[in-house]
Amino acid sequence: MRARHVRHSSSSRQPFAIKIAPHRALHTMPSMSTVTIKDVARVARVNPATVSKALRGLPGKVSQETRERIEQVARELGYRHNAVAATLRTRRSDLIGVIVPDLGNPLFGPLVQGLERQLREGGWMSVVVQPPEDPSSRRAVITTLAARQVAGLIISSAESDDPMLGAAAEMGIPLVLVNRGLNERRFSCVVNDDRESVMLVLDHLRALGHTRIAHLAGPMSSSTGRGRRQAFEALMSKIPGAQGTVVDASAFTREAGFAAMQSLLARRRARRATAVFAANDLIAVGALDALRQAGLRVPEDISVVGHNDMPLVDMIAPPLTTVRIPLARMSDHAAALLREHLADPSLPPTQRVLTPTLVVRASTAPPLE
Amino acid sequence: MRARHVRHSSSSRQPFAIKIAPHRALHTMPSMSTVTIKDVARVARVNPATVSKALRGLPGKVSQETRERIEQVARELGYRHNAVAATLRTRRSDLIGVIVPDLGNPLFGPLVQGLERQLREGGWMSVVVQPPEDPSSRRAVITTLAARQVAGLIISSAESDDPMLGAAAEMGIPLVLVNRGLNERRFSCVVNDDRESVMLVLDHLRALGHTRIAHLAGPMSSSTGRGRRQAFEALMSKIPGAQGTVVDASAFTREAGFAAMQSLLARRRARRATAVFAANDLIAVGALDALRQAGLRVPEDISVVGHNDMPLVDMIAPPLTTVRIPLARMSDHAAALLREHLADPSLPPTQRVLTPTLVVRASTAPPLE
DNA sequence: TTGTATGCGTTATCAC
DNA sequence: GTGATAACGCATACAA
């Protein structure tokens, strides 16, 4: 159910003596009093059904005159629409579940910002959940959301075997994935073109003269971690004389990036990469931590590239060369796609792949030797 | 209404031939079929009321034996709780409105992260809204939330004359402010001790030898902007020989910080401040932008202090000295306080003031001269 | 254009 | 311990 436009002044609440069903009048505070369409109907001397029609502004259903009278009465009585009752009746709610792994991650703040804004402007409200790790809790998240009759779900950063996906599918809840997709095409999704990302990065590093390049890969359970790694390996293998290395970071975190870089630094210097491409900015920042601790200079001794162009990475030392993903367009597309699914449940799963851009800053330079 | 614990396997849905009200069976997809408490009751040969009691696990109301049978049947039929119907009946919902100005701001991601987590663990779901600027929309946000029967609200960064506050009060919705409070004590709130913040900063700068100190103040319409400025003026006036300056930043943004710093730099150098205390980190980062553009070095030429200790400010150049506010404890307290208000609506407004700490990094140093 | 009647799925209050 | 029944507030098909 969409946003209502029941207008009523705040100042005048029950200015007249009105007959409200006594048992309610007794049990509730005046400010909490529940005025229903029945109450409005009684005072306006019309039928509750008419009030319902009038207040929703259905065109051509109720005369201008009675509509105005009803609106007037509703305002005077301080009538407030009860969307819960309406949802029960219509089986339609204006709630969308927005699922995001971690709002502390600077990537997801802006993402949810865009999603919430788009959804709200379309008349929907966002129920935001950060699911716990354990599988049964994740299932329970969907169950709870379903109990609330959410009309649809937007899930960011899903992993392939996430119990939430199966649960949502079983319950038939329309669903759009954002940021990460899946191997299979079961669900609609809006994702970055990771192959293009890697291409941009490798072209840039090769142009600078790098041939030994390392990739600090994100978790393989995520499409972004997997996709960037696969693209890295595929593209590096095509470059004559290039030598690629992959080190796994255990998570998309600064700490994991630190550890991954340390393990890279433990290798023999002669063969070591002169440039590092991190699967995301947090990993890159962790890598910078490790490099600083090891006494290495960036970009003189080693170049570092991130991914995502998170807020503030232009301010770190050195300003990070990174791949910018179109977050705002991503949320717009995801919200729009979900709306299409809600409007037409038979719509088949759709992919939308957005093109990233490279942002060159000061963390990359030609190799020294 | 709190989280339910209706457990049912996902694999077995309607394994038997079951009589479902035919009009529903015809109109709905199998996977969408709505199994109600009545259906369960019919199959389990008990009364719907008994099913309700059994499934909610009310102690001592239904025998162990029938409870197990009912749970079994519910599982087999694929029964799913309808929280909307329950809310309509009980007038209690497990929805909390979480209102935050801007999820793109790195301060609010972590804040909402904490709030959502706390609320979820208490059995509540968070409806997150970023209200538009115009007053009537802000009222409408509360109206819509109220129509959804939210049990309570958490509002971060409220301004004194915000229409949302009046609306919430009129509708009698329990409310806790977080991050910013108000002058008056109408609402419960959880805030930082801004006077302590300023004290920490000024003690630090004085210890370094600074006497000419500028404050890049945030908007006076916010309690944090106002509070920090007032504390700054009050404390500076007590320091013998100190010379304080205040420049207003028009917003808590990087751009506003840039502009404010520029206007400060336009002043005569001899009298210029040797240290700058920004009302928040974003303003500080904007100030750094302006200083770099002006060719001034930080901290050699001028020291800069921020406020909040946002993510990544330890990585910027130079790593920012700033005041850390206990964001996690703030959200914990806010969620806890709201729960107290929900449990006891007669609870008077309560203030909780949390103590910040200073994080000294590389953006501050003794003045040159 | 307006009114009548009914049900959405659940819980609470009784009675048994 | 279990059953019968009446709300909760609203929207909708249909009749008038």
Short mmCIF file of all heavy atoms in Angstrom, two decimals, chain A residues 23 34 37 52 56 79 89, chain D residues 8-14:
data_model
loop_
_atom_site.label_atom_id
_atom_site.label_comp_id
_atom_site.label_asym_id
_atom_site.label_seq_id
_atom_site.Cartn_x
_atom_site.Cartn_y
_atom_site.Cartn_z
N HIS A 23 -15.85 1.99 25.58
CA HIS A 23 -14.81 1.14 26.15
C HIS A 23 -13.44 1.62 25.71
O HIS A 23 -12.46 1.48 26.41
CB HIS A 23 -15.02 -0.31 25.73
CG HIS A 23 -14.87 -0.54 24.26
ND1 HIS A 23 -15.86 -0.26 23.36
CD2 HIS A 23 -13.82 -0.99 23.53
CE1 HIS A 23 -15.44 -0.54 22.14
NE2 HIS A 23 -14.20 -0.99 22.22
N THR A 34 -7.82 6.32 19.52
CA THR A 34 -7.84 5.79 18.18
C THR A 34 -9.13 6.15 17.51
O THR A 34 -10.18 5.60 17.81
CB THR A 34 -7.67 4.27 18.22
OG1 THR A 34 -6.41 3.97 18.80
CG2 THR A 34 -7.73 3.71 16.82
N ILE A 37 -12.21 5.01 10.89
CA ILE A 37 -13.10 5.53 9.85
C ILE A 37 -14.56 5.41 10.26
O ILE A 37 -15.40 6.16 9.81
CB ILE A 37 -12.88 4.82 8.49
CG1 ILE A 37 -13.00 3.33 8.62
CG2 ILE A 37 -11.56 5.20 7.87
CD1 ILE A 37 -12.91 2.62 7.29
N SER A 52 -13.71 5.56 3.64
CA SER A 52 -12.53 4.90 3.10
C SER A 52 -12.23 5.40 1.69
O SER A 52 -11.10 5.77 1.37
CB SER A 52 -12.75 3.39 3.09
OG SER A 52 -11.66 2.73 2.50
N ARG A 56 -9.01 8.07 0.60
CA ARG A 56 -7.95 7.63 -0.29
C ARG A 56 -7.96 8.39 -1.60
O ARG A 56 -7.14 8.16 -2.47
CB ARG A 56 -8.09 6.13 -0.56
CG ARG A 56 -7.45 5.31 0.55
CD ARG A 56 -7.62 3.85 0.30
NE ARG A 56 -9.04 3.52 0.19
CZ ARG A 56 -9.49 2.48 -0.50
NH1 ARG A 56 -8.67 1.73 -1.16
NH2 ARG A 56 -10.78 2.24 -0.53
N TYR A 79 -8.33 11.99 12.95
CA TYR A 79 -8.24 10.63 12.39
C TYR A 79 -6.84 10.36 11.87
O TYR A 79 -6.21 11.20 11.25
CB TYR A 79 -9.24 10.46 11.26
CG TYR A 79 -9.00 9.18 10.48
CD1 TYR A 79 -9.41 7.96 10.98
CD2 TYR A 79 -8.32 9.22 9.27
CE1 TYR A 79 -9.15 6.79 10.30
CE2 TYR A 79 -8.07 8.05 8.56
CZ TYR A 79 -8.48 6.84 9.08
OH TYR A 79 -8.23 5.68 8.40
N ARG A 89 -5.95 -6.27 5.29
CA ARG A 89 -7.07 -6.38 4.37
C ARG A 89 -6.62 -6.57 2.92
O ARG A 89 -7.12 -7.44 2.20
CB ARG A 89 -7.92 -5.10 4.50
CG ARG A 89 -9.09 -4.96 3.58
CD ARG A 89 -10.12 -6.04 3.86
NE ARG A 89 -10.39 -6.77 2.63
CZ ARG A 89 -11.56 -6.78 2.01
NH1 ARG A 89 -12.58 -6.15 2.53
NH2 ARG A 89 -11.71 -7.43 0.89
P DC D 8 -13.00 -3.16 18.56
OP1 DC D 8 -13.03 -2.36 19.80
OP2 DC D 8 -13.91 -2.84 17.44
"O5'" DC D 8 -11.54 -3.15 17.93
"C5'" DC D 8 -10.39 -3.54 18.66
"C4'" DC D 8 -9.26 -3.74 17.68
"O4'" DC D 8 -9.33 -5.07 17.14
"C3'" DC D 8 -9.35 -2.83 16.46
"O3'" DC D 8 -8.53 -1.68 16.70
"C2'" DC D 8 -8.79 -3.68 15.31
"C1'" DC D 8 -8.73 -5.10 15.87
N1 DC D 8 -9.45 -6.13 15.10
C2 DC D 8 -8.81 -7.35 14.77
O2 DC D 8 -7.63 -7.50 15.13
N3 DC D 8 -9.50 -8.29 14.07
C4 DC D 8 -10.76 -8.06 13.72
N4 DC D 8 -11.39 -9.03 13.05
C5 DC D 8 -11.42 -6.85 14.05
C6 DC D 8 -10.75 -5.92 14.73
P DG D 9 -9.24 -0.23 16.57
OP1 DG D 9 -8.32 0.71 17.23
OP2 DG D 9 -10.65 -0.27 16.96
"O5'" DG D 9 -9.16 0.02 15.01
"C5'" DG D 9 -7.88 0.14 14.39
"C4'" DG D 9 -8.06 0.02 12.90
"O4'" DG D 9 -8.61 -1.27 12.59
"C3'" DG D 9 -9.03 1.04 12.28
"O3'" DG D 9 -8.28 1.78 11.34
"C2'" DG D 9 -10.15 0.21 11.68
"C1'" DG D 9 -9.47 -1.15 11.48
N9 DG D 9 -10.36 -2.30 11.54
C8 DG D 9 -11.42 -2.50 12.39
N7 DG D 9 -12.02 -3.65 12.20
C5 DG D 9 -11.31 -4.24 11.18
C6 DG D 9 -11.49 -5.49 10.55
O6 DG D 9 -12.34 -6.35 10.79
N1 DG D 9 -10.55 -5.71 9.56
C2 DG D 9 -9.55 -4.82 9.21
N2 DG D 9 -8.73 -5.19 8.23
N3 DG D 9 -9.37 -3.64 9.78
C4 DG D 9 -10.28 -3.42 10.76
P DC D 10 -8.94 2.72 10.25
OP1 DC D 10 -7.95 3.74 9.90
OP2 DC D 10 -10.29 3.08 10.70
"O5'" DC D 10 -9.03 1.74 9.02
"C5'" DC D 10 -7.84 1.20 8.48
"C4'" DC D 10 -8.16 0.18 7.42
"O4'" DC D 10 -9.06 -0.77 7.98
"C3'" DC D 10 -8.85 0.76 6.19
"O3'" DC D 10 -7.91 0.75 5.13
"C2'" DC D 10 -10.04 -0.17 5.94
"C1'" DC D 10 -9.84 -1.30 6.93
N1 DC D 10 -11.08 -1.82 7.55
C2 DC D 10 -11.57 -3.06 7.15
O2 DC D 10 -10.97 -3.69 6.27
N3 DC D 10 -12.70 -3.54 7.73
C4 DC D 10 -13.31 -2.83 8.69
N4 DC D 10 -14.41 -3.34 9.24
C5 DC D 10 -12.82 -1.56 9.11
C6 DC D 10 -11.71 -1.09 8.52
P DA D 11 -8.24 1.45 3.76
OP1 DA D 11 -6.94 1.79 3.15
OP2 DA D 11 -9.26 2.48 3.98
"O5'" DA D 11 -8.85 0.26 2.92
"C5'" DA D 11 -8.04 -0.85 2.66
"C4'" DA D 11 -8.80 -1.88 1.86
"O4'" DA D 11 -9.92 -2.37 2.63
"C3'" DA D 11 -9.39 -1.40 0.54
"O3'" DA D 11 -9.31 -2.49 -0.35
"C2'" DA D 11 -10.84 -1.09 0.90
"C1'" DA D 11 -11.12 -2.21 1.87
N9 DA D 11 -12.18 -1.99 2.86
C8 DA D 11 -12.44 -0.85 3.56
N7 DA D 11 -13.44 -0.97 4.42
C5 DA D 11 -13.85 -2.28 4.26
C6 DA D 11 -14.87 -3.04 4.88
N6 DA D 11 -15.68 -2.55 5.82
N1 DA D 11 -15.02 -4.32 4.48
C2 DA D 11 -14.20 -4.81 3.55
N3 DA D 11 -13.20 -4.20 2.90
C4 DA D 11 -13.07 -2.92 3.31
P DT D 12 -9.22 -2.24 -1.90
OP1 DT D 12 -7.96 -2.77 -2.39
OP2 DT D 12 -9.64 -0.86 -2.16
"O5'" DT D 12 -10.38 -3.20 -2.42
"C5'" DT D 12 -10.39 -4.57 -2.00
"C4'" DT D 12 -11.79 -5.10 -2.10
"O4'" DT D 12 -12.59 -4.66 -1.00
"C3'" DT D 12 -12.53 -4.65 -3.37
"O3'" DT D 12 -13.03 -5.80 -4.02
"C2'" DT D 12 -13.64 -3.77 -2.85
"C1'" DT D 12 -13.88 -4.37 -1.47
N1 DT D 12 -14.53 -3.46 -0.49
C2 DT D 12 -15.47 -3.98 0.38
O2 DT D 12 -15.79 -5.16 0.37
N3 DT D 12 -16.02 -3.08 1.25
C4 DT D 12 -15.72 -1.73 1.34
O4 DT D 12 -16.28 -1.02 2.15
C5 DT D 12 -14.72 -1.25 0.41
C7 DT D 12 -14.34 0.19 0.43
C6 DT D 12 -14.19 -2.13 -0.45
P DA D 13 -13.20 -5.75 -5.63
OP1 DA D 13 -11.93 -6.23 -6.18
OP2 DA D 13 -13.76 -4.44 -6.05
"O5'" DA D 13 -14.36 -6.81 -5.88
"C5'" DA D 13 -14.47 -7.96 -5.06
"C4'" DA D 13 -15.94 -8.25 -4.75
"O4'" DA D 13 -16.40 -7.35 -3.71
"C3'" DA D 13 -16.87 -8.07 -5.95
"O3'" DA D 13 -17.78 -9.17 -6.01
"C2'" DA D 13 -17.60 -6.76 -5.66
"C1'" DA D 13 -17.60 -6.72 -4.14
N9 DA D 13 -17.57 -5.36 -3.59
C8 DA D 13 -16.80 -4.30 -4.03
N7 DA D 13 -16.97 -3.19 -3.34
C5 DA D 13 -17.91 -3.54 -2.38
C6 DA D 13 -18.53 -2.81 -1.35
N6 DA D 13 -18.27 -1.53 -1.09
N1 DA D 13 -19.44 -3.47 -0.58
C2 DA D 13 -19.70 -4.75 -0.85
N3 DA D 13 -19.18 -5.53 -1.79
C4 DA D 13 -18.29 -4.86 -2.52
P DC D 14 -18.72 -9.35 -7.28
OP1 DC D 14 -18.93 -10.80 -7.46
OP2 DC D 14 -18.22 -8.52 -8.41
"O5'" DC D 14 -20.07 -8.71 -6.75
"C5'" DC D 14 -20.60 -9.16 -5.49
"C4'" DC D 14 -21.63 -8.16 -5.02
"O4'" DC D 14 -21.00 -6.94 -4.62
"C3'" DC D 14 -22.68 -7.78 -6.06
"O3'" DC D 14 -23.93 -8.33 -5.68
"C2'" DC D 14 -22.68 -6.25 -6.06
"C1'" DC D 14 -21.98 -5.93 -4.74
N1 DC D 14 -21.29 -4.62 -4.70
C2 DC D 14 -21.56 -3.74 -3.64
O2 DC D 14 -22.37 -4.09 -2.77
N3 DC D 14 -20.95 -2.53 -3.61
C4 DC D 14 -20.08 -2.20 -4.57
N4 DC D 14 -19.49 -1.01 -4.50
C5 DC D 14 -19.78 -3.09 -5.65
C6 DC D 14 -20.40 -4.28 -5.68
#
